[in-house]
């Protein structure tokens, strides 16, 4: 986040000493290892963000916003980060969350109850063509920007008023959560190295 004037500081939250060492070598603030209770499958990104925010504001003073950039989204661009910050300011500091076009439209998704298909959306439109459905988006995990008061009050990056930072490049919206996602990321890196 160097050279983005609106970002006053960068902090890494991890429970892994090797990751912490890499962050320190890169000149990133690494004041502590993440507490054990925040390094479990049950800990949420909100819990981790609040822990870091509370420490930061106690040590360094109040901030206008907390920007969460998860390492599982390695292809987000600086241009999108700057666009997200602009959306945050121009929308009166409402939360900004990045989204990508949904690969499967929610009006065509089902759950299975007792072996029977039940639409997730009650207004399932079997006879409507895909081109006639309203655009649908999915949170891609690449960018979250929220005012500290909103995060503390709602315990959420969203609330009911989040502004969409739309990312249409599939690479930028790639969120590495599975082995297939990792393979997809390796393919992106390989393709980019061939064109560089």
């Amino acid at each position: 986040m160097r050279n983005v004037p609106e970002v006053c500081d960068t902090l890494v939250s991890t429970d892994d000493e090797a990751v912490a060492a890499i962050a320190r070598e890169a000149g990133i603030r690494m004041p502590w290892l993440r507490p054990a209770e925040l390094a479990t499958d049950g800990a949420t990104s909100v819990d981790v963000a609040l822990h870091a925010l509370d420490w930061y504001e106690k040590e360094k003073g109040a901030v206008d916003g907390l920007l969460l950039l998860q390492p599982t989204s390695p292809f987000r661009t600086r241009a999108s980060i700057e666009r997200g910050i602009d959306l945050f300011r121009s929308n009166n500091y409402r939360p900004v969350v990045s989204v990508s076009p949904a690969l499967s439209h929610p009006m065509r998704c089902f759950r299975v109850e007792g072996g029977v298909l039940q639409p997730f959306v009650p207004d399932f439109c079997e006879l409507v063509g895909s081109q006639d459905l309203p655009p649908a988006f999915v949170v891609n995990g690449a960018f979250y920007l929220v005012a500290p008061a909103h995060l503390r009050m709602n315990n959420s990056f969203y609330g009911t008023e989040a502004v969409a930072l739309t990312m249409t490049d599939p690479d930028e919206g790639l969120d590495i959560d599975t082995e297939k996602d990792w393979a997809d990321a390796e393919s992106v890196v390989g393709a980019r190295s061939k064109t560089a």
Side-chain angles (χ1 to χ4, degrees):
M1 290 311 321
R2 293 185 174 107
N3 304 320
V4 176
E6 294 85 357
V7 177
C8 65
D9 210 343
T10 303
L11 188 144
V12 169
S13 177
T14 182
D15 65 321
D16 187 298
E17 185 54 57
V19 172
I22 292 168
R24 286 185 196 105
E25 287 174 23
I28 296 171
R29 188 177 299 278
M30 207 37 254
W32 29 252
L33 288 179
R34 188 185 301 171
E37 66 271 13
L38 295 179
T40 67
D41 289 341
T44 68
S45 295
V46 170
D47 296 332
V48 172
L50 285 170
H51 172 258
L53 177 63
D54 290 344
W55 176 87
Y56 193 89
E57 289 198 325
K58 180 181 175 193
E59 295 293 319
K60 304 291 181 183
V63 294
D64 294 330
L66 179 137
L67 174 59
L68 172 62
L69 301 176
Q70 298 183 121
T72 52
S73 300
F75 303 114
R76 85 176 68 73
T77 64
R78 178 187 171 126
S80 286
I81 292 169
E82 291 173 341
R83 204 164 37 95
I85 292 169
D86 287 344
L87 282 170
F88 183 66
R89 286 194 308 222
S90 66
N91 284 279
N92 200 27
Y93 300 97
R94 288 169 49 196
V96 177
V97 177
S98 62
V99 296
S100 296
L103 298 179
S104 297
H105 200 284
M107 294 185 87
R108 296 278 167 84
C109 290
F110 295 83
R111 62 185 176 276
V112 178
E113 291 182 3
V116 177
L117 289 176
Q118 298 293 326
F120 267 105
V121 178
D123 297 329
F124 168 65
C125 300
E126 183 177 11
L127 302 178
V128 175
S130 296
Q131 69 278 4
D132 296 322
L133 293 173
F137 298 88
V138 61
V139 172
N140 63 27
F143 183 100
Y144 300 88
L145 179 54
V146 64
H150 177 95
L151 185 63
R152 288 182 174 116
M153 182 171 56
N154 296 289
N155 206 42
S156 171
F157 289 103
Y158 306 94
T160 58
E161 55 184 27
V163 176
L165 170 62
T166 305
M167 297 177 173
T168 55
D169 179 349
D171 294 346
E172 190 173 16
L174 178 62
D175 184 18
I176 303 173
D177 285 327
T178 66
E179 286 187 29
K180 184 190 178 311
D181 296 337
W182 181 263
D184 290 346
E186 286 181 327
S187 294
V188 171
V189 171
R192 288 183 179 187
S193 66
K194 288 179 185 174
T195 59

